[in-house]
Amino acid sequence: MAEPSKNEDALLHDVQINAGKIVVLVVEDSETDAFIIRHILEQRMQRQCEFLHAINVSEAENILNARDDTSIVLLDLGLPDSTGPRATYRSLEKFKERLPIVVLTSVEDRVTAIDIIEMGALDYIYKQEIINQPESLPRAVEFAISRHHAQVKDKHEILDDLHQTEDFLQFVTGGYSVKN
C-alpha cells in the first residue's frame, strides 16, 4: 500500500498537536483592533492562546513560512501592502491547506464576503459584530479550526482510499498500465 505523503502526515500531525493550545496569527494594521481581538480571545477562549501579530501581508507570509505551528489566521482585508480585499486574501490563500483563515473586516460588503468564502476562507466576520457580540469571535475561531480539522481528516481518508485502490488495481492487473 502507498504511504501518505509527508505533507499529508504533517497536516494531520499539526491538527493533532495543536489540539490544546491555539497559535493565532492576527494580521491587522490597526494596533487598536489587534489589541481588541487579542483581549477578547484571551478573555473568552476556553483553550490557551499564543498570539502572533503582523501588520501587513509581507510580515504574515514571513511568519507563516517560519512557523508551522500556527493554528489559525485572523486576516484584516484592508492592509497597507495590498491592493484590495481579494488581493489581500489571495496573498495568503496558499496557506489555506495548512490552516484556517478567518477574515475580519470593518466593511460590510456581502458580495466580497461571499467571494472570499468561495475562495477558501472559513469565515468572514464584521469587526462591528465582534464589538457588539464579543462571543462571536472565539466561536468563529473554534468553528473554523474544527471545520479545517474535518477537511484535513476527510482529505487524508480520501487519499488513503485512493492509494489502496491504486495498489489493488496494480495487484489485479499485475502492474499493467494503460498510461503511456
Side-chain angles (χ1 to χ4, degrees):
M1 170 167 49
E3 293 294 316
S5 74
K6 184 177 178 183
N7 192 32
E8 294 163 21
D9 281 341
L11 285 172
L12 199 56
H13 178 70
D14 289 344
V15 167
Q16 292 166 344
I17 288 294
N18 288 327
K21 177 179 80 168
I22 299 173
V23 180
V24 181
L25 173 57
V26 179
V27 186
E28 172 62 67
D29 60 325
S30 165
E31 291 294 329
T32 302
D33 288 353
F35 174 81
I36 291 169
I37 291 164
R38 181 180 181 143
H39 180 74
I40 288 171
L41 290 176
E42 285 176 337
Q43 298 300 312
R44 296 181 180 258
M45 286 294 292
Q46 293 183 355
R47 295 194 273 174
Q48 178 187 6
C49 293
E50 176 185 342
F51 294 93
L52 308 172
H53 182 221
I55 61 169
N56 57 43
V57 170
S58 179
E59 280 186 19
E61 288 177 308
N62 289 339
I63 290 169
L64 291 169
N65 285 324
R67 293 198 51 169
D68 62 357
D69 64 337
T70 307
S71 308
I72 189 166
V73 173
L74 301 179
L75 177 64
D76 176 33
L77 290 179
L79 297 173
D81 63 341
S82 187
T83 58
R86 288 167 187 82
T88 301
Y89 181 79
R90 278 192 195 100
S91 297
L92 295 181
E93 82 176 322
K94 62 186 164 221
F95 298 101
K96 73 181 179 185
E97 297 297 320
R98 193 174 97 198
L99 67 154
I101 300 173
V102 173
V103 171
L104 308 174
T105 185
S106 55
V107 179
E108 291 196 32
D109 179 353
R110 189 165 172 79
V111 172
T112 299
I114 291 169
D115 285 350
I116 300 294
I117 294 294
E118 287 176 352
M119 291 169 68
L122 287 185
D123 210 342
Y124 191 102
I125 305 172
Y126 300 112
K127 290 180 183 176
Q128 192 58 47
E129 180 183 345
I130 295 169
I131 300 300
N132 295 337
Q133 299 173 324
E135 68 279 358
S136 66
L137 181 59
R139 183 175 53 242
V141 167
E142 290 285 356
F143 287 172
I145 290 171
S146 293
R147 278 192 302 272
H148 188 263
H149 172 79
Q151 289 172 351
V152 168
K153 185 178 175 198
D154 289 348
K155 181 179 178 183
H156 189 73
E157 289 171 358
I158 289 167
L159 289 172
D160 277 350
D161 289 347
L162 179 64
H163 293 304
Q164 289 177 6
T165 302
E166 288 173 344
D167 289 346
F168 176 73
L169 288 173
Q170 281 193 346
F171 174 76
V172 169
T173 63
Y176 177 75
S177 175
V178 293
K179 292 188 230 176
N180 291 329

